[in-house]
Amino acid sequence: MPAVSKGDGMRGLAVFISDIRNCKSKEAEIKRINKELANIRSKFKGDKALDGYSKKKYVCKLLFIFLLGHDIDFGHMEAVNLLSSNKYTEKQIGYLFISVLVNSNSELIRLINNAIKNDLSSRNPTFMCLALHCIANVGSREMAEAFAGEIPRILVAGDTMDSVKQSAALCLLRLYKTSPDLVLMGEWTSRVVHLLNDQHMGVVTAAISLITCLSQKNPDEFKTCVSLAVSRLSRIVSSASTDLQDYTYYFVPAPWLSCKLLRLLQCYPPPEDGAVKGRLVECLETILNKAQEPPKSKKVQHSNAKNAILFEAISLIIHYDSEPNLLVRACNQLGQFLQHRETNLRYLALESMCTLASSEFSHEAVKTHIETVINALKTERDVSVRQRAADLLYAMCDRSNAKQIVAEMLSYLETADYSIREEMVLKVAILAEKYAVDYSWYVDTILNLIRIAGDYVSEEVWYRVIQIVINRDDVQGYAAKTVFEALQAPACHENMVKVGGYILGEFGNLIAGDPRSSPLVQFNLLHSKFHLCSVPTRALLLSAYIKFINLFPETKSTIQEVLRSDSQIRNSDVELQQRAVEYLKLSSIASTDVLATVLEEMPPFPERESSILAKLKKKKGPGAVSVNELEEGKREGGELNGGGERGGDSSSTPSPSADLLGLRAGPPVTAAAPSAGSLLVDVFSEAVKQPSPTAFLRLFVCKNNGVLFENQLLQIGIKSEYRQNLGRMYLFYGNKTSVQFVTFTTTVTCPGELQSHILHIHTWNSLEPLIEGGAQVQQVINIECLTDFSDAPLLNIKFRYGGALQNLTLKLPVTINKFFQPTEMASHDFFQRWKQLSLPQQEAQKIFKANHAMDTEVLKAKLLGLGMALLENVDPNPENFVCAGVIQTKAQQVGSLLRLEPNAQAQMYRLTVRSSKDTVSKRLCELLAEQF
Amino acid sequence: MQFMLLFSRQGKLRLQKWYVPLSDKEKKKITRELVQTVLARKPKMCSFLEWRDLKIVYKRYASLYFCCAIEDQDNELITLEIIHRYVELLDKYFGSVCELDIIFNFEKAYFILDEFLLGGEAQETSKKNVLKAIEQADLLQENFSSQSPHNCLSTP
């Protein structure tokens, strides 16, 4: 046979290829190619009509030239001519050329499609296959338009040859991927699904790829494939290695088909039919058992094929996440692979175990392999394998092993490849915060992180450590001592200087008693780094210095000396110069009392609020009226402490469990968008993204205060309070620039229905049309809820900044739940009322995927923030949450009950709301579904 | 599968098959990047790597690297055996295939691949059936050739 294949050869082509290969240089090659192109062009243009063979040969040469990486701009027409040749070999080359050099020339496409149409209807299976291959290779929209209707017919027709069916199935798949709208299975669906039963294994192998893709998009229409797939799989798995003849690959029966069947099943939940499920579990067990049997061949192909099925089966087991026994067996099997001599298997085992670690059934089993994984991190020679090991350590980390894992990751960081350092740093930072039991460990870890991999420590990470130190007074002394020691190193990273400057400026006094770290020593240490740092760090250090003057009056003259020096007070950088001038002046004219007030210790960082807003809140602007203290206290308690951990004193001690969900954020120094929410999200996204105005709105469903909007120019903070059907909202407009905003006007409007009878809004005080650079102004809005509503009022802001008109429209976060009065009730009452609200339209339900980690404390905090009463010991299932409340509107009171059922395995929630008014149930459900 | 590349140890591309629509420029960029990445890897290293949002599966046979890009949920090991099966098919067809066979008969390498994989999915995994299809095509070719023998002798 081989002789045949070469015998048809085009000698001219072979000579040309040899010539190219013999070219000594790139130039020579290009010269030879240009010569050939000129030759072919003249032949194509010549008067003499070319015979089919010559045409084929030249087209093939053009193809070769193209594949070498050169551009081809002619020959398409000749290739299209070849398509209609009745000689197979010419047709074949024509199709190959078209497949490789797709041209969007519409005239040509029409001709190509014509030729394809002829071949498809030729009833010659070889020609039909060629045409189908061409469609599958090109897969353009034009082809989909022309053939998407015809191919399903070919696929399911009784008289179609097997080989044509195979091509048709995959051809359709390709068209479906490019133009899903044009491929309509409709009436063919059930016949396509039944191809899974086809006698010909090749047909099943090809068809299943199509079925899998279609099932992913339309699971319901194709769900009958599940039982067919299970029975097919079962037949293969239980067959002897010789039963399937040529579909057995190195003693493994139909490995490709088995993998595809297991993959198809992953598009669906576990089969509901007990018999089907039983059969499937049996298959999975058999596959796991086979892994323990001695290999039938020493060839790597045998073990690869066998393990390919095994890994696919494990993926399915993980996907189902409902069979503890299988999960643990899968984990043990992967555990064996962790120490396998084949690098490929170790890699895959680490990868697969990562997903197992997140299942509650197998998390513990995965953890038993910690030593092996740590060893892999240390000893694997291939960085991609080490990366997998690091991923797995991260996934298996919990409170019990966090210290060990973080220590190992830190020590790995010292030698880690540059390509993965940044990711490692983030992982360490996240784990350290998430599982910090004592905060001195957390501080140590982050400082180590900066020491080892300072360049890869992003701002969010060092902001965070400062935030935590400031909020926890038990760790401040320790942090000051540690950072002081770290700064002793002859070369330390700039990020360390930043943290050091900030912490010593705040808490240097806590270690000043020790003569080794006396105020002057501290100052000299910091200042010794000053000249090595960038401008922002220097600015931060200057602020630390003025804080020193307040903390330690004995350093005043030294520091004033520094501020007065030309390099500061005449610094070419405006920011530095300004700070030096202002601080110098401040230190010389302000009395100690004033100084102490101005330079007071930083207040604790409130959750999800920027520093600007925190200050505003502390001062409580003059316009603020007395609020119902009790209600306010309750609401804020619910939002802020996240876990009921807040003590009686004013400094909030955020609960660590709330942190891991990132209820708190907002870097302390600059006021970045606090809405970017969780640290987890923050550090993973490359930049702090500005959410859309509506995204901001969503953040306020469960809380009343925060930043509504922020861009480079303007920050808008909100503080609101609600009582009965009345609300008052304070808006704080902060000018972030140093230039004044002029003609600053705001208007609040209620679009549509809202205006006339739903919400009644009026602004209480008018604003000055001018906001100075760096200043904030406040506006108060009164709100009255007349009856229930779903839209939000709009706030329009217009002002001029440096001559340019800025125009901004935002939704005000007034949602119906703001008018909730919590209602406490006992279990019995709750269920009675629940039953009373049993009309179908009174209930709204949503099932949705968790967008955040499912932490009980955080969920509670959010539900409390919603304004309802969170009822304990009501639902028989302690995992579930139930709440009750009454919405107060002027027209009526709407009683509402809520039930939230988390499913940790599936990472899903079911939310059910019942209330006496259907629109309220619906709206509450919508609002809340976006919160978890 | 999104694409398959065959390249030599010197980095010369011998075969390229794309199952997703990409511009020529993008194809060239991907090829350059991947050839470089794969050639830089040491022999004992693992056959899989993450690249952009794809998984790369590669294996070296003598002087040739076979390199496939698959998607996240695709199975690495079975892809490795797709490569092997393709090599077996080439081997059987050409009779201990070598790089030169693929260079001089590149069109055949494409035809065999199309019989085996279509649209990036396995179409026919039986070695016999694939070779039978190619054989039949060759037979058609021979018949036509024998009808017009002068064609074979015509000069370039």
Side-chain angles (χ1 to χ4, degrees), chain A residues 2 15 41 174 215 262 289 332 431 524:
Chain A
V15 170
R41 199 170 276 153
R174 175 69 195 263
S215 297
L262 289 161
N289 291 341
N332 292 341
L431 291 178
N524 286 332

Side-chain angles (χ1 to χ4, degrees), chain A residues 529-598:
Chain A
K529 317 282 182 195
F530 188 90
H531 62 288
L532 299 168
C533 295
S534 64
V535 169
T537 311
R538 288 186 189 197
L540 188 151
L541 284 177
L542 289 180
S543 298
Y545 296 170
I546 186 74
K547 289 237 165 190
F548 265 49
I549 293 184
N550 175 44
L551 288 178
F552 319 115
E554 65 265 40
T555 60
K556 184 169 168 178
S557 57
T558 318
I559 291 175
Q560 280 182 334
E561 197 64 33
V562 169
L563 293 175
R564 201 176 290 126
S565 72
D566 278 356
S567 60
Q568 309 300 349
I569 210 157
R570 291 190 205 286
N571 195 294
S572 60
D573 185 273
V574 184
E575 178 66 32
L576 291 182
Q577 192 188 88
Q578 188 176 358
R579 287 197 190 208
V581 172
E582 287 177 0
Y583 292 161
L584 183 60
K585 209 68 187 162
L586 182 66
S587 67
S588 31
I589 59 172
S591 70
T592 8
D593 282 353
V594 172
L595 212 55
T597 316
V598 175

Side-chain angles (χ1 to χ4, degrees), chain A residues 5 167 246-247 249-250 344, chain B residues 47 81 88 93 123-124 126:
Chain A
S5 68
S167 299
D246 208 35
Y247 289 93
Y249 179 82
Y250 292 86
N344 288 346
Chain B
S47 310
E81 293 320 300
E88 283 184 350
Y93 183 78
Q123 174 176 217
E124 178 53 87
S126 152

Side-chain angles (χ1 to χ4, degrees), chain A residues 555-786:
Chain A
T555 60
K556 184 169 168 178
S557 57
T558 318
I559 291 175
Q560 280 182 334
E561 197 64 33
V562 169
L563 293 175
R564 201 176 290 126
S565 72
D566 278 356
S567 60
Q568 309 300 349
I569 210 157
R570 291 190 205 286
N571 195 294
S572 60
D573 185 273
V574 184
E575 178 66 32
L576 291 182
Q577 192 188 88
Q578 188 176 358
R579 287 197 190 208
V581 172
E582 287 177 0
Y583 292 161
L584 183 60
K585 209 68 187 162
L586 182 66
S587 67
S588 31
I589 59 172
S591 70
T592 8
D593 282 353
V594 172
L595 212 55
T597 316
V598 175
L599 301 171
E600 202 186 344
E601 189 179 299
M602 287 296 283
F605 287 93
E607 305 186 27
R608 281 189 131 176
E609 288 192 4
S610 76
S611 48
I612 295 178
L613 209 79
K615 270 184 209 159
L616 279 174
K617 217 176 133 183
K618 205 176 171 195
K619 283 183 200 151
K620 267 202 178 169
V625 272
S626 72
V627 289
N628 182 335
E629 291 295 334
L630 215 147
E631 187 180 315
E632 155 122 316
K634 192 166 75 195
R635 279 179 193 274
E636 299 219 325
E639 288 149 31
L640 291 184
N641 71 17
E645 212 186 82
R646 176 147 133 157
D649 67 337
S650 60
S651 74
S652 75
T653 21
S655 107
S657 60
D659 277 355
L660 71 217
L661 274 195
L663 269 186
R664 318 160 9 96
V669 180
T670 55
S675 44
S678 82
L679 178 71
L680 284 169
V681 174
D682 263 359
V683 287
F684 278 131
S685 62
E686 278 152 7
V688 181
K689 290 188 189 101
Q690 286 285 352
S692 69
T694 2
F696 276 101
L697 187 69
R698 201 168 63 217
L699 298 170
F700 286 89
V701 171
C702 293
K703 64 174 201 167
N704 288 337
N705 305 327
V707 172
L708 178 66
F709 173 83
E710 177 156 12
N711 64 11
Q712 272 91 18
L713 306 177
L714 177 72
Q715 187 193 49
I716 305 174
I718 262 193
K719 181 171 158 57
S720 46
E721 51 207 36
Y722 294 90
R723 209 180 325 152
Q724 306 289 350
N725 69 325
L726 300 176
R728 180 164 294 168
M729 184 176 277
Y730 302 89
L731 290 164
F732 301 94
Y733 304 95
N735 180 345
K736 289 171 69 182
T737 69
S738 48
V739 181
Q740 45 173 229
F741 294 163
V742 293
T743 60
F744 191 93
T745 53
T746 64
T747 16
V748 178
T749 52
C750 295
E753 286 194 304
L754 217 51
Q755 175 69 30
S756 53
H757 59 268
I758 297 184
L759 266 181
H760 185 66
I761 286 202
H762 73 271
T763 46
W764 204 45
N765 60 343
S766 54
L767 283 166
E768 288 291 315
L770 207 93
I771 306 181
E772 294 294 338
Q776 284 122 25
V777 297
Q778 183 193 336
Q779 183 181 29
V780 184
I781 295 171
N782 283 344
I783 303 157
E784 186 179 4
C785 176
L786 303 178

Side-chain angles (χ1 to χ4, degrees), chain A residues 1-2 4-14 17-18 21 29 51 53 57-58 60-61 63-64 66-67 69-71 86-90 92-93 96 100 126-127 132-133 136-137 163 166-167 170-171 173-174 177-178 200 202 205-206 209 216 246-247 249-250 255-256 259-260 263 300-301 304-305 307-309 311-312 343-345 347-348 351 381-385 388, chain B residues 1 12-14 16-21 24 27-28 41 44-50 55 59 61 71-82 84-85 88 92-95 99-101 103-108 110-111 114-119 121-129 131 133 135-142 144-145 147-148 150-156:
Chain A
M1 181 181 64
V4 175
S5 68
K6 287 172 193 161
D8 77 299
M10 295 163 270
R11 211 168 69 87
L13 176 67
I17 295 175
S18 297
R21 286 178 52 75
E29 184 185 306
D51 59 32
Y53 170 79
K57 184 183 67 188
Y58 293 128
C60 211
K61 277 184 183 175
L63 189 55
F64 180 78
F66 177 78
L67 290 170
H70 302 270
D71 292 333
N86 55 0
K87 290 187 184 169
Y88 179 79
T89 158
E90 288 166 14
Q92 200 183 20
I93 294 291
L96 180 61
V100 175
T126 327
F127 286 5
L132 289 168
H133 290 181
N137 282 325
S163 60
Q166 286 166 276
S167 299
L170 292 173
C171 183
L173 171 62
R174 175 69 195 263
K177 281 183 181 166
T178 38
H200 191 283
T205 307
S209 296
Q216 279 167 340
D246 208 35
Y247 289 93
Y249 179 82
Y250 292 86
W256 285 281
C259 284
K260 286 184 175 194
R263 178 83 199 86
V300 69
Q301 283 77 25
N304 277 351
N307 291 327
I309 300 172
F311 275 105
E312 207 59 66
T343 315
N344 288 346
L345 285 180
Y347 176 97
L348 294 174
E351 189 184 41
R381 277 187 287 174
D382 185 345
V383 56
S384 43
V385 186
R388 290 285 85 82
Chain B
M1 189 184 297
K12 288 249 188 215
L13 190 61
R14 296 303 181 201
Q16 45 177 321
K17 189 77 191 179
W18 305 87
Y19 297 112
V20 283
D24 286 346
K27 286 179 187 170
K28 280 185 182 162
R41 291 178 61 87
K44 284 280 169 194
M45 282 186 167
C46 133
S47 310
F48 319 125
L49 52 123
E50 280 183 341
K55 299 195 282 198
K59 190 163 179 176
Y61 288 85
E71 278 148 75
D72 193 43
Q73 331 87 354
D74 292 340
N75 189 312
E76 290 99 334
L77 283 174
I78 210 72
T79 309
L80 212 47
E81 293 320 300
I82 288 226
H84 187 75
R85 173 107 302 176
E88 283 184 350
K92 189 91 183 181
Y93 183 78
F94 289 108
E99 196 182 335
L100 281 178
D101 290 320
I103 296 173
F104 281 95
N105 302 284
F106 68 94
E107 78 283 9
K108 293 282 184 229
Y110 278 98
F111 297 148
D114 270 355
E115 289 295 337
F116 175 42
L117 297 180
L118 195 60
E121 299 282 337
Q123 174 176 217
E124 178 53 87
T125 60
S126 152
K127 193 154 67 177
K128 273 188 202 144
N129 289 351
L131 289 171
E135 248 174 87
Q136 269 170 359
D138 280 339
L139 222 58
L140 280 173
Q141 212 156 277
E142 235 194 357
F144 286 123
S145 305
Q147 282 162 16
S148 48
H150 64 276
N151 273 354
C152 291
L153 303 170
S154 62
T155 45

